[in-house]
Amino acid sequence: MAYHLSTLFLILFFLIILAAFFAATEIGMMSINRYKLKHLVKKENKQATRVNQILSRPDRLLSVVLIGNTLANILASTIATLIGQRIYGDAGIAIATIILTLVILVFAEMIPKTFAAIYPQQVAFATSLPLQILQLIFAPLVYISSSMSNGVLRLFRISIDKIQKEFLTNEELRSVVHEAGGLLPVEHKSMLISLLDLEQATVEDIMIPKSDIVGIDIEEPWSEILYQLETAKHTRLPLYRNSIDDLVGMIHVRDVLNLAIDNELDLKSLLKAADEPYYIPEATSLNIQILNFRKMKRRSSFVVDEYGDIQGLVTMEDILEEIVGEFTTDVAALSRDITPQSDGSVIVDASLTLRHLNRLMGWQLPMIGPKTLSGLIVEHLGYIPPAESCLTIENYRMEILRVSDNTIKSVKMFKISKKRK
């Protein structure tokens, strides 16, 4: 009799372990990171390939898990009842039921499922081979149960053959990058986030305003044109007549040097070597424009509004800076845009774009509407303020330093702390 009870206890222990196996398998298989799994499959990892095959038919996976778990729990309940009757008589049935419920809840459900949720990949890989063997053993039951469940699903117009593929939205990809933790350097995270933002930004957001475009007026004396070519800080220069609105073309400094070497540099040859202007709408997104640059074999283009009027200039370098950040080495140019003061404030060129200013200073000036600091101030006030005017936009205090030609030229500003209510 003692031997018989020990055998029953041994069988009961095995059944609880079996139930725990199926509980852990279900959570491990369903919680595994599908993108890591696909990566390992591409690297021809055998365990990953086996898990991927199992997950390709979730109905069969769940059938095996539920069949095995159900059988293990039913048999465990029967064995526990026999043990209870042997030890405590009729009262042992109730005692065995209570004890078995607690044991299964803790040791066959909570502990294995929690462990599998924490280590899904390890659990899925470890249980994949036994699960494949059990699929063969339970093949008839799996087929019957899967057919019945799929039949019921079809009544609700749900087909197992149309398993939804996992696609990540832009925001979900952003969350994945942020949650990468220490797996990615901060610089790489920033670049990936910037790539995702290219779709939301337009060329109007990053363009050089028309008033700041540096070019060559071909109506100027030839000596003045030569001087501008010699002192140019850009490799590509627009050629125009009297104003930038009357564009003639774009000339590369390399072509100018070639003409000079061949002693053929004059106005006629300069115009002949210039490329035709390339125009793009102001609403063109950056991700589309970078593809257009590659397709058109261009590195710069002029931004026009709906009436065809030139609004600014955008280059490939401008878009690249949106991805990798500022890589200009012209410190003097940066200091002209933003000049720190001893009192903690900064003097800002009001023609600077809000997007650029926010990036350089780590601020959050509103970017809905005007693109430049000057435009933001004028829109906020409703008029062009005189010099020495002061105002506050959100939590940024500003003082107008210089105004000329109906345009705000420079502003002294600093960030103030928000008052607690």
Side-chain angles (χ1 to χ4, degrees):
M1 181 176 180
Y3 175 78
H4 189 58
L5 274 176
S6 63
T7 302
L8 290 177
F9 273 113
L10 188 61
I11 295 172
L12 180 61
F13 177 77
F14 172 75
L15 291 172
I16 293 172
I17 295 297
L18 193 62
F21 167 81
F22 286 114
T25 299
E26 179 183 4
I27 299 300
M29 287 288 180
M30 293 303 177
S31 301
I32 192 170
N33 188 310
R34 302 298 178 92
Y35 298 98
K36 283 187 178 180
L37 182 64
K38 290 177 182 178
H39 173 68
L40 292 172
V41 169
K42 289 180 180 179
K43 294 177 68 175
E44 299 182 354
N45 183 291
K46 292 183 179 180
Q47 291 177 313
T49 302
R50 188 160 52 236
V51 171
N52 191 55
Q53 290 174 349
I54 294 172
L55 289 174
S56 64
R57 288 301 302 265
D59 57 328
R60 294 180 181 176
L61 166 63
L62 292 175
S63 293
V64 172
V65 169
L66 293 176
I67 289 171
N69 198 34
T70 301
L71 289 176
N73 286 332
I74 290 174
L75 291 174
S77 178
T78 303
I79 297 298
T81 301
L82 291 175
I83 293 173
Q85 283 182 324
R86 292 287 180 87
I87 298 175
Y88 300 106
D90 292 339
I93 298 175
I95 295 172
T97 301
I98 294 172
I99 294 175
L100 183 65
T101 300
L102 290 173
V103 170
I104 289 179
L105 182 63
V106 175
F107 295 99
E109 291 291 333
M110 293 182 65
I111 292 177
K113 285 186 175 181
T114 302
F115 180 81
I118 297 173
Y119 303 103
Q121 181 174 309
Q122 291 87 333
V123 171
F125 283 5
T127 60
S128 59
L129 183 57
L131 198 61
Q132 274 193 336
I133 296 173
L134 289 171
Q135 281 184 332
L136 295 175
I137 295 173
F138 293 143
L141 286 174
V142 170
Y143 176 77
I144 294 171
S145 60
S146 296
S147 299
M148 292 176 65
S149 63
N150 291 341
V152 174
L153 288 174
R154 289 192 186 95
L155 295 177
F156 296 94
R157 297 182 180 180
I158 301 174
S159 175
I160 196 66
D161 297 326
K162 297 180 179 179
I163 300 174
Q164 184 177 3
K165 295 183 178 180
E166 294 185 59
F167 296 104
L168 293 179
T169 64
N170 190 295
E171 290 302 317
E172 289 170 339
L173 281 171
R174 185 190 300 272
S175 298
V176 170
V177 174
H178 281 302
E179 292 175 4
L183 298 176
L184 285 176
V186 176
E187 294 81 3
H188 293 181
K189 280 187 183 181
S190 178
M191 288 174 62
L192 289 172
I193 294 297
S194 298
L195 278 172
L196 296 174
D197 286 340
L198 286 185
E199 186 177 355
Q200 300 174 359
T202 64
V203 293
E204 185 184 16
D205 296 324
I206 67 167
M207 69 180 184
I208 301 168
K210 181 170 70 172
S211 58
D212 293 339
I213 296 177
V214 177
I216 296 177
D217 183 0
I218 60 173
E219 296 297 324
E220 293 282 344
W222 179 244
S223 59
E224 179 63 25
I225 294 175
L226 284 177
Y227 175 76
Q228 292 184 51
L229 289 172
E230 291 174 0
T231 59
K233 296 181 180 180
H234 303 282
T235 56
R236 294 173 180 82
L237 295 169
L239 302 179
Y240 59 86
R241 289 187 176 89
N242 297 320
S243 77
I244 197 68
D245 292 309
D246 189 6
L247 271 176
V248 175
M250 287 285 287
I251 188 70
H252 196 290
V253 172
R254 179 188 61 243
D255 297 325
V256 176
L257 289 175
N258 290 334
L259 291 173
I261 292 172
D262 296 334
N263 293 321
E264 296 178 355
L265 182 58
D266 54 29
L267 184 58
K268 184 177 179 180
S269 62
L270 189 67
L271 295 175
K272 187 177 180 180
D275 296 323
E276 288 291 325
Y278 172 38
Y279 301 98
I280 56 172
E282 59 187 349
T284 305
S285 62
L286 297 185
N287 63 326
I288 296 297
Q289 187 52 42
I290 199 168
L291 294 176
N292 290 341
F293 275 142
R294 186 175 65 178
K295 181 180 178 181
M296 301 294 293
K297 307 297 182 184
R298 297 291 190 105
R299 297 185 65 87
S300 60
S301 59
F302 291 93
V303 182
V304 297
D305 61 13
E306 57 183 320
Y307 303 106
D309 296 330
I310 294 175
Q311 301 299 306
L313 173 70
V314 67
T315 67
M316 177 68 81
E317 287 76 13
D318 295 328
I319 300 179
L320 291 177
E321 285 187 351
E322 285 295 301
I323 300 173
V324 302
E326 299 293 331
F327 51 79
T328 179
T329 56
D330 189 355
V331 179
L334 289 177
S335 64
R336 286 197 301 269
D337 292 335
I338 301 176
T339 307
Q341 302 298 299
S342 58
D343 60 357
S345 64
V346 291
I347 296 177
V348 181
D349 183 341
S351 64
L352 195 64
T353 63
L354 295 172
R355 187 181 185 87
H356 192 61
L357 180 58
N358 283 341
R359 173 173 292 184
L360 291 176
M361 298 298 299
W363 290 349
Q364 292 84 39
L365 287 162
M367 295 193 296
I368 300 176
K371 303 300 179 183
T372 64
L373 178 60
S374 175
L376 177 66
I377 294 172
V378 172
E379 182 184 74
H380 181 78
L381 295 176
Y383 60 91
I384 300 173
E388 299 183 1
S389 300
C390 296
L391 70 152
T392 300
I393 299 179
E394 294 191 356
N395 56 324
Y396 299 93
R397 184 70 54 81
M398 308 179 190
E399 179 186 351
I400 313 301
L401 297 181
R402 190 164 67 89
V403 179
S404 65
D405 299 327
N406 294 324
T407 304
I408 301 172
K409 296 298 183 180
S410 61
V411 177
K412 183 178 181 180
M413 60 188 301
F414 60 91
K415 186 177 181 180
I416 57 177
S417 300
K418 290 184 177 179
K419 295 181 179 180
R420 295 182 180 179
K421 296 182 179 180

